Amino acid sequence: MTAAETADLHSPELTRTRVVEWQAPGPVAKAALPMSGIEAMRAIRDGVLPPPPMARLIGFRVAAVEEGRIVMELDAHESLENTIGLLHGATAAALLDTAMGCAISTLLPAGQTSVTLDLKLTYLRPLSARSGTIAAEGKVIKLGRQTSYTEGFVRDGKGNLAVHATATFSMLGGTPTP
C-alpha cells in the first residue's frame, strides 16, 4: 500500500464517532442490594434500574428473564467489528459472560452474587453488523454453594448457532437455595 493510500484511510469521510453514556455503577448496585437476583434482572430489563456500563458500551440489553435463564440482545454495529469486517470475538464473550452470570443471579437471594472462574467459548460461525439482532442465552446447569455451572448460546438474527459456551462461577455471599 502506498503512502497516499494509507493517508486516505485517515480521511474524515471514514471517521466515525460514538458517544456512550452510562450511570455510575456504585449507586445502582446499592439500589439493587435489597432485591433478589431475579428482581434486579427484571428491574434492568424494565428500565427501573439502568444497565451496567459494559452493556451500554457494547450496546446489549436484557430481553428475557426467567428463573435460571437470561437472554441478552444486541443490534450489532460497525464499532464492534475488527479489520476483516466481523464482530470481534470479545463481543460474544462479553455477551455470554454476562448472560450466564445473570442467569445464575435469577436464582439467588438478595445479597448473593457470583463471579466468573472460567469461560470457554467455541466459535461456530462468524458474526457481523449484518447478522441481524444477535441473541445470547445463558442457562444454569447446576447451582452450587461454592461453584455454579452454566451454558450459553449466541445466535444470529436468523437463529443460527454462532457461539457455544460453558462457564464456572464462584459464589459470593450468603447461601444459594438450589
Side-chain angles (χ1 to χ4, degrees), residues 75-103:
D75 294 319
H77 42 87
E78 184 181 59
S79 70
L80 299 173
E81 291 185 337
N82 56 30
T83 56
I84 60 172
L86 301 175
L87 287 192
H88 192 284
T91 305
L95 280 166
L96 284 164
D97 184 44
T98 304
M100 292 187 293
C102 289

PDB file of all heavy atoms in Angstrom, residues 75-103:
ATOM      1  N   ASP A  75     -28.049  -5.379  18.807  1.00  0.00           N
ATOM      2  CA  ASP A  75     -28.109  -4.969  17.409  1.00  0.00           C
ATOM      3  C   ASP A  75     -26.685  -4.542  17.083  1.00  0.00           C
ATOM      4  O   ASP A  75     -26.268  -3.426  17.406  1.00  0.00           O
ATOM      5  CB  ASP A  75     -29.110  -3.822  17.217  1.00  0.00           C
ATOM      6  CG  ASP A  75     -30.534  -4.272  17.508  1.00  0.00           C
ATOM      7  OD1 ASP A  75     -30.885  -5.392  17.102  1.00  0.00           O
ATOM      8  OD2 ASP A  75     -31.277  -3.512  18.148  1.00  0.00           O
ATOM      9  N   ALA A  76     -25.941  -5.458  16.508  1.00  0.00           N
ATOM     10  CA  ALA A  76     -24.505  -5.253  16.284  1.00  0.00           C
ATOM     11  C   ALA A  76     -24.259  -4.032  15.407  1.00  0.00           C
ATOM     12  O   ALA A  76     -25.064  -3.705  14.537  1.00  0.00           O
ATOM     13  CB  ALA A  76     -23.891  -6.488  15.642  1.00  0.00           C
ATOM     14  N   HIS A  77     -23.156  -3.370  15.663  1.00  0.00           N
ATOM     15  CA  HIS A  77     -22.789  -2.174  14.911  1.00  0.00           C
ATOM     16  C   HIS A  77     -21.319  -2.238  14.520  1.00  0.00           C
ATOM     17  O   HIS A  77     -20.530  -2.999  15.089  1.00  0.00           O
ATOM     18  CB  HIS A  77     -23.125  -0.902  15.693  1.00  0.00           C
ATOM     19  CG  HIS A  77     -22.791  -0.981  17.149  1.00  0.00           C
ATOM     20  ND1 HIS A  77     -21.560  -0.669  17.661  1.00  0.00           N
ATOM     21  CD2 HIS A  77     -23.543  -1.376  18.198  1.00  0.00           C
ATOM     22  CE1 HIS A  77     -21.574  -0.851  18.964  1.00  0.00           C
ATOM     23  NE2 HIS A  77     -22.757  -1.281  19.317  1.00  0.00           N
ATOM     24  N   GLU A  78     -20.989  -1.428  13.562  1.00  0.00           N
ATOM     25  CA  GLU A  78     -19.655  -1.379  12.968  1.00  0.00           C
ATOM     26  C   GLU A  78     -18.537  -1.192  13.998  1.00  0.00           C
ATOM     27  O   GLU A  78     -17.436  -1.696  13.830  1.00  0.00           O
ATOM     28  CB  GLU A  78     -19.648  -0.239  11.951  1.00  0.00           C
ATOM     29  CG  GLU A  78     -18.405  -0.080  11.163  1.00  0.00           C
ATOM     30  CD  GLU A  78     -18.527   1.100  10.207  1.00  0.00           C
ATOM     31  OE1 GLU A  78     -18.753   2.246  10.672  1.00  0.00           O
ATOM     32  OE2 GLU A  78     -18.382   0.878   8.994  1.00  0.00           O
ATOM     33  N   SER A  79     -18.818  -0.481  15.085  1.00  0.00           N
ATOM     34  CA  SER A  79     -17.763  -0.215  16.075  1.00  0.00           C
ATOM     35  C   SER A  79     -17.316  -1.480  16.810  1.00  0.00           C
ATOM     36  O   SER A  79     -16.296  -1.464  17.490  1.00  0.00           O
ATOM     37  CB  SER A  79     -18.221   0.833  17.091  1.00  0.00           C
ATOM     38  OG  SER A  79     -19.221   0.323  17.940  1.00  0.00           O
ATOM     39  N   LEU A  80     -18.059  -2.571  16.659  1.00  0.00           N
ATOM     40  CA  LEU A  80     -17.687  -3.841  17.297  1.00  0.00           C
ATOM     41  C   LEU A  80     -16.946  -4.776  16.343  1.00  0.00           C
ATOM     42  O   LEU A  80     -16.548  -5.868  16.731  1.00  0.00           O
ATOM     43  CB  LEU A  80     -18.937  -4.548  17.834  1.00  0.00           C
ATOM     44  CG  LEU A  80     -19.720  -3.781  18.897  1.00  0.00           C
ATOM     45  CD1 LEU A  80     -21.021  -4.499  19.223  1.00  0.00           C
ATOM     46  CD2 LEU A  80     -18.874  -3.565  20.133  1.00  0.00           C
ATOM     47  N   GLU A  81     -16.770  -4.344  15.095  1.00  0.00           N
ATOM     48  CA  GLU A  81     -16.112  -5.190  14.102  1.00  0.00           C
ATOM     49  C   GLU A  81     -14.595  -5.017  14.137  1.00  0.00           C
ATOM     50  O   GLU A  81     -14.077  -3.981  14.546  1.00  0.00           O
ATOM     51  CB  GLU A  81     -16.631  -4.867  12.700  1.00  0.00           C
ATOM     52  CG  GLU A  81     -18.072  -5.292  12.509  1.00  0.00           C
ATOM     53  CD  GLU A  81     -18.582  -5.102  11.094  1.00  0.00           C
ATOM     54  OE1 GLU A  81     -18.018  -4.268  10.348  1.00  0.00           O
ATOM     55  OE2 GLU A  81     -19.534  -5.784  10.727  1.00  0.00           O
ATOM     56  N   ASN A  82     -13.913  -6.057  13.679  1.00  0.00           N
ATOM     57  CA  ASN A  82     -12.456  -5.984  13.538  1.00  0.00           C
ATOM     58  C   ASN A  82     -12.118  -5.594  12.097  1.00  0.00           C
ATOM     59  O   ASN A  82     -13.012  -5.274  11.306  1.00  0.00           O
ATOM     60  CB  ASN A  82     -11.804  -7.317  13.947  1.00  0.00           C
ATOM     61  CG  ASN A  82     -12.363  -8.491  13.165  1.00  0.00           C
ATOM     62  OD1 ASN A  82     -12.784  -8.362  12.024  1.00  0.00           O
ATOM     63  ND2 ASN A  82     -12.389  -9.658  13.783  1.00  0.00           N
ATOM     64  N   THR A  83     -10.851  -5.611  11.743  1.00  0.00           N
ATOM     65  CA  THR A  83     -10.435  -5.138  10.414  1.00  0.00           C
ATOM     66  C   THR A  83     -10.844  -6.065   9.273  1.00  0.00           C
ATOM     67  O   THR A  83     -10.745  -5.669   8.115  1.00  0.00           O
ATOM     68  CB  THR A  83      -8.908  -4.924  10.358  1.00  0.00           C
ATOM     69  OG1 THR A  83      -8.264  -6.137  10.727  1.00  0.00           O
ATOM     70  CG2 THR A  83      -8.493  -3.805  11.299  1.00  0.00           C
ATOM     71  N   ILE A  84     -11.328  -7.270   9.578  1.00  0.00           N
ATOM     72  CA  ILE A  84     -11.799  -8.139   8.496  1.00  0.00           C
ATOM     73  C   ILE A  84     -13.324  -8.115   8.370  1.00  0.00           C
ATOM     74  O   ILE A  84     -13.917  -8.915   7.670  1.00  0.00           O
ATOM     75  CB  ILE A  84     -11.261  -9.585   8.621  1.00  0.00           C
ATOM     76  CG1 ILE A  84     -11.711 -10.230   9.935  1.00  0.00           C
ATOM     77  CG2 ILE A  84      -9.753  -9.611   8.478  1.00  0.00           C
ATOM     78  CD1 ILE A  84     -11.368 -11.716  10.032  1.00  0.00           C
ATOM     79  N   GLY A  85     -13.974  -7.163   9.086  1.00  0.00           N
ATOM     80  CA  GLY A  85     -15.407  -6.963   8.924  1.00  0.00           C
ATOM     81  C   GLY A  85     -16.286  -7.910   9.710  1.00  0.00           C
ATOM     82  O   GLY A  85     -17.467  -8.057   9.398  1.00  0.00           O
ATOM     83  N   LEU A  86     -15.726  -8.558  10.733  1.00  0.00           N
ATOM     84  CA  LEU A  86     -16.500  -9.458  11.581  1.00  0.00           C
ATOM     85  C   LEU A  86     -16.524  -8.908  13.002  1.00  0.00           C
ATOM     86  O   LEU A  86     -15.621  -8.178  13.404  1.00  0.00           O
ATOM     87  CB  LEU A  86     -15.878 -10.856  11.578  1.00  0.00           C
ATOM     88  CG  LEU A  86     -15.774 -11.528  10.206  1.00  0.00           C
ATOM     89  CD1 LEU A  86     -15.027 -12.840  10.321  1.00  0.00           C
ATOM     90  CD2 LEU A  86     -17.169 -11.745   9.614  1.00  0.00           C
ATOM     91  N   LEU A  87     -17.555  -9.303  13.756  1.00  0.00           N
ATOM     92  CA  LEU A  87     -17.585  -8.886  15.156  1.00  0.00           C
ATOM     93  C   LEU A  87     -16.390  -9.493  15.871  1.00  0.00           C
ATOM     94  O   LEU A  87     -16.070 -10.671  15.681  1.00  0.00           O
ATOM     95  CB  LEU A  87     -18.856  -9.366  15.851  1.00  0.00           C
ATOM     96  CG  LEU A  87     -20.158  -8.677  15.512  1.00  0.00           C
ATOM     97  CD1 LEU A  87     -21.243  -9.093  16.498  1.00  0.00           C
ATOM     98  CD2 LEU A  87     -20.040  -7.180  15.489  1.00  0.00           C
ATOM     99  N   HIS A  88     -15.741  -8.691  16.686  1.00  0.00           N
ATOM    100  CA  HIS A  88     -14.616  -9.182  17.470  1.00  0.00           C
ATOM    101  C   HIS A  88     -15.128 -10.266  18.405  1.00  0.00           C
ATOM    102  O   HIS A  88     -16.235 -10.174  18.946  1.00  0.00           O
ATOM    103  CB  HIS A  88     -13.995  -8.027  18.264  1.00  0.00           C
ATOM    104  CG  HIS A  88     -12.691  -8.379  18.850  1.00  0.00           C
ATOM    105  ND1 HIS A  88     -12.572  -9.176  19.956  1.00  0.00           N
ATOM    106  CD2 HIS A  88     -11.434  -8.071  18.467  1.00  0.00           C
ATOM    107  CE1 HIS A  88     -11.300  -9.334  20.251  1.00  0.00           C
ATOM    108  NE2 HIS A  88     -10.588  -8.667  19.347  1.00  0.00           N
ATOM    109  N   GLY A  89     -14.355 -11.310  18.599  1.00  0.00           N
ATOM    110  CA  GLY A  89     -14.744 -12.424  19.462  1.00  0.00           C
ATOM    111  C   GLY A  89     -15.055 -12.005  20.878  1.00  0.00           C
ATOM    112  O   GLY A  89     -15.854 -12.637  21.577  1.00  0.00           O
ATOM    113  N   ALA A  90     -14.453 -10.919  21.334  1.00  0.00           N
ATOM    114  CA  ALA A  90     -14.714 -10.428  22.688  1.00  0.00           C
ATOM    115  C   ALA A  90     -16.158  -9.963  22.845  1.00  0.00           C
ATOM    116  O   ALA A  90     -16.677  -9.933  23.955  1.00  0.00           O
ATOM    117  CB  ALA A  90     -13.750  -9.298  23.031  1.00  0.00           C
ATOM    118  N   THR A  91     -16.819  -9.610  21.756  1.00  0.00           N
ATOM    119  CA  THR A  91     -18.218  -9.195  21.823  1.00  0.00           C
ATOM    120  C   THR A  91     -19.071 -10.366  22.298  1.00  0.00           C
ATOM    121  O   THR A  91     -19.855 -10.240  23.238  1.00  0.00           O
ATOM    122  CB  THR A  91     -18.711  -8.688  20.452  1.00  0.00           C
ATOM    123  OG1 THR A  91     -17.855  -7.650  20.003  1.00  0.00           O
ATOM    124  CG2 THR A  91     -20.140  -8.196  20.532  1.00  0.00           C
ATOM    125  N   ALA A  92     -18.916 -11.514  21.662  1.00  0.00           N
ATOM    126  CA  ALA A  92     -19.659 -12.709  22.072  1.00  0.00           C
ATOM    127  C   ALA A  92     -19.257 -13.126  23.482  1.00  0.00           C
ATOM    128  O   ALA A  92     -20.107 -13.541  24.273  1.00  0.00           O
ATOM    129  CB  ALA A  92     -19.423 -13.851  21.085  1.00  0.00           C
ATOM    130  N   ALA A  93     -17.969 -13.015  23.807  1.00  0.00           N
ATOM    131  CA  ALA A  93     -17.509 -13.389  25.144  1.00  0.00           C
ATOM    132  C   ALA A  93     -18.177 -12.520  26.205  1.00  0.00           C
ATOM    133  O   ALA A  93     -18.641 -13.024  27.238  1.00  0.00           O
ATOM    134  CB  ALA A  93     -15.993 -13.284  25.229  1.00  0.00           C
ATOM    135  N   ALA A  94     -18.255 -11.210  25.968  1.00  0.00           N
ATOM    136  CA  ALA A  94     -18.889 -10.314  26.936  1.00  0.00           C
ATOM    137  C   ALA A  94     -20.390 -10.609  27.050  1.00  0.00           C
ATOM    138  O   ALA A  94     -20.943 -10.632  28.159  1.00  0.00           O
ATOM    139  CB  ALA A  94     -18.666  -8.860  26.533  1.00  0.00           C
ATOM    140  N   LEU A  95     -21.039 -10.843  25.924  1.00  0.00           N
ATOM    141  CA  LEU A  95     -22.461 -11.178  25.949  1.00  0.00           C
ATOM    142  C   LEU A  95     -22.714 -12.457  26.742  1.00  0.00           C
ATOM    143  O   LEU A  95     -23.609 -12.521  27.589  1.00  0.00           O
ATOM    144  CB  LEU A  95     -22.986 -11.366  24.522  1.00  0.00           C
ATOM    145  CG  LEU A  95     -23.320 -10.125  23.736  1.00  0.00           C
ATOM    146  CD1 LEU A  95     -23.487 -10.461  22.258  1.00  0.00           C
ATOM    147  CD2 LEU A  95     -24.580  -9.484  24.276  1.00  0.00           C
ATOM    148  N   LEU A  96     -21.914 -13.489  26.459  1.00  0.00           N
ATOM    149  CA  LEU A  96     -22.126 -14.769  27.119  1.00  0.00           C
ATOM    150  C   LEU A  96     -21.756 -14.736  28.590  1.00  0.00           C
ATOM    151  O   LEU A  96     -22.466 -15.285  29.437  1.00  0.00           O
ATOM    152  CB  LEU A  96     -21.356 -15.875  26.386  1.00  0.00           C
ATOM    153  CG  LEU A  96     -22.018 -16.296  25.081  1.00  0.00           C
ATOM    154  CD1 LEU A  96     -21.053 -17.077  24.207  1.00  0.00           C
ATOM    155  CD2 LEU A  96     -23.282 -17.093  25.357  1.00  0.00           C
ATOM    156  N   ASP A  97     -20.644 -14.100  28.934  1.00  0.00           N
ATOM    157  CA  ASP A  97     -20.249 -13.996  30.334  1.00  0.00           C
ATOM    158  C   ASP A  97     -21.362 -13.301  31.123  1.00  0.00           C
ATOM    159  O   ASP A  97     -21.735 -13.738  32.212  1.00  0.00           O
ATOM    160  CB  ASP A  97     -18.929 -13.238  30.452  1.00  0.00           C
ATOM    161  CG  ASP A  97     -18.408 -13.188  31.868  1.00  0.00           C
ATOM    162  OD1 ASP A  97     -18.443 -14.221  32.565  1.00  0.00           O
ATOM    163  OD2 ASP A  97     -17.935 -12.112  32.287  1.00  0.00           O
ATOM    164  N   THR A  98     -21.915 -12.246  30.560  1.00  0.00           N
ATOM    165  CA  THR A  98     -22.987 -11.507  31.223  1.00  0.00           C
ATOM    166  C   THR A  98     -24.253 -12.346  31.313  1.00  0.00           C
ATOM    167  O   THR A  98     -24.860 -12.451  32.386  1.00  0.00           O
ATOM    168  CB  THR A  98     -23.267 -10.183  30.480  1.00  0.00           C
ATOM    169  OG1 THR A  98     -22.055  -9.433  30.405  1.00  0.00           O
ATOM    170  CG2 THR A  98     -24.331  -9.376  31.187  1.00  0.00           C
ATOM    171  N   ALA A  99     -24.677 -12.939  30.211  1.00  0.00           N
ATOM    172  CA  ALA A  99     -25.914 -13.721  30.203  1.00  0.00           C
ATOM    173  C   ALA A  99     -25.823 -14.914  31.160  1.00  0.00           C
ATOM    174  O   ALA A  99     -26.770 -15.191  31.906  1.00  0.00           O
ATOM    175  CB  ALA A  99     -26.234 -14.197  28.786  1.00  0.00           C
ATOM    176  N   MET A 100     -24.687 -15.604  31.157  1.00  0.00           N
ATOM    177  CA  MET A 100     -24.561 -16.776  32.030  1.00  0.00           C
ATOM    178  C   MET A 100     -24.487 -16.367  33.501  1.00  0.00           C
ATOM    179  O   MET A 100     -25.099 -17.005  34.361  1.00  0.00           O
ATOM    180  CB  MET A 100     -23.368 -17.624  31.607  1.00  0.00           C
ATOM    181  CG  MET A 100     -23.599 -18.289  30.250  1.00  0.00           C
ATOM    182  SD  MET A 100     -22.344 -19.478  29.743  1.00  0.00           S
ATOM    183  CE  MET A 100     -20.935 -18.439  29.495  1.00  0.00           C
ATOM    184  N   GLY A 101     -23.760 -15.298  33.816  1.00  0.00           N
ATOM    185  CA  GLY A 101     -23.707 -14.812  35.190  1.00  0.00           C
ATOM    186  C   GLY A 101     -25.063 -14.314  35.663  1.00  0.00           C
ATOM    187  O   GLY A 101     -25.473 -14.558  36.798  1.00  0.00           O
ATOM    188  N   CYS A 102     -25.773 -13.612  34.789  1.00  0.00           N
ATOM    189  CA  CYS A 102     -27.100 -13.109  35.148  1.00  0.00           C
ATOM    190  C   CYS A 102     -28.105 -14.244  35.304  1.00  0.00           C
ATOM    191  O   CYS A 102     -29.027 -14.157  36.132  1.00  0.00           O
ATOM    192  CB  CYS A 102     -27.592 -12.101  34.113  1.00  0.00           C
ATOM    193  SG  CYS A 102     -26.695 -10.530  34.179  1.00  0.00           S
ATOM    194  N   ALA A 103     -27.951 -15.315  34.535  1.00  0.00           N
ATOM    195  CA  ALA A 103     -28.826 -16.482  34.697  1.00  0.00           C
ATOM    196  C   ALA A 103     -28.686 -17.048  36.107  1.00  0.00           C
ATOM    197  O   ALA A 103     -29.684 -17.403  36.750  1.00  0.00           O
ATOM    198  CB  ALA A 103     -28.503 -17.545  33.645  1.00  0.00           C
TER     199      ALA A 103
END
